[in-house]
Amino acid sequence: DTTQTAPVVMEGEGSQKRMMFMLPAEYDSMDKIPKPTNPKVHIAEVPSEVGVVHRYNGSMEAGRNRDQARALAGQLIEDGVPDVTEEHVLENFQFWGYNPPFTLPYFRRNEVWLKLDGDQVTYLQEKFPSGGLVGGSRGGGSALGAAGIAGLVVGVAAIGLVMRRRGSSSPSYSPLR
């Protein structure tokens, strides 16, 4: 028996919706992972990826997540990140939820995550060269910097750029501490 871990990752909508779980570090190889008893559950090792994250509290409803993904897209477009469109972000973002469903919405930690390609990462590192992505076009208490989350099994390992939002309606960049 494995206890549920965070974040829980959801992507897609309707019949294409998929839920993924991160496993603790103790499951560092596929042989150590308990075999699912439900045939609809699949185990997969997902390689590390680099992306941006927009952090927010509140409900984890699909419409709210899309609104937050739209805010992330707007910031990336405003910052001139190559090949980012609102449509691309809305079709490719993942929702990451960190709290049980019974947590009061105000206290929930939610994120929308978007994978970046190498050119986009290079662009952001060159635009914000001070070791983290400092300043951003909207400033404030947000963070975009290096972070690592390891995950095997129906999970995503994200190493690289992470954007967080605190007390602002829009994402922006500053060093992750």
Side-chain angles (χ1 to χ4, degrees), residues 16-32:
Q16 300 300 310
K17 193 172 205 175
R18 188 166 72 160
M19 184 178 288
M20 298 173 279
F21 300 92
M22 306 284 183
L23 291 183
E26 67 195 65
Y27 297 105
D28 58 357
S29 76
M30 295 295 278
D31 331 0
K32 293 181 181 179

Side-chain angles (χ1 to χ4, degrees), residues 162-174:
V162 177
M163 186 182 347
R164 295 186 181 171
R165 172 190 153 280
R166 285 188 203 148
S168 168
S169 61
S170 303
S172 62
Y173 311 117
S174 62

Side-chain angles (χ1 to χ4, degrees), residues 4 11-12 22 33 60 91 106 116 119 135 137 164-165 175:
Q4 185 169 325
E11 64 183 13
M22 306 284 183
I33 298 166
M60 53 185 181
E91 289 175 1
Y106 181 82
L116 295 178
D119 291 339
S137 51
R164 295 186 181 171
R165 172 190 153 280

Side-chain angles (χ1 to χ4, degrees), residues 101-121:
F102 54 80
T103 303
L104 293 173
Y106 181 82
F107 298 106
R108 287 188 183 143
R109 174 182 171 187
N110 303 319
E111 297 174 346
V112 289
W113 186 88
L114 179 69
K115 179 181 176 178
L116 295 178
D117 67 29
D119 291 339
Q120 293 165 328
V121 172

Side-chain angles (χ1 to χ4, degrees), residues 4-10 20-22 56 60 65 94-100 108-112:
Q4 185 169 325
T5 60
V8 172
V9 179
M10 290 186 274
M20 298 173 279
F21 300 92
M22 306 284 183
Y56 58 101
M60 53 185 181
N65 300 338
Q94 295 177 335
F95 166 80
W96 291 24
Y98 290 83
N99 304 99
R108 287 188 183 143
R109 174 182 171 187
N110 303 319
E111 297 174 346
V112 289

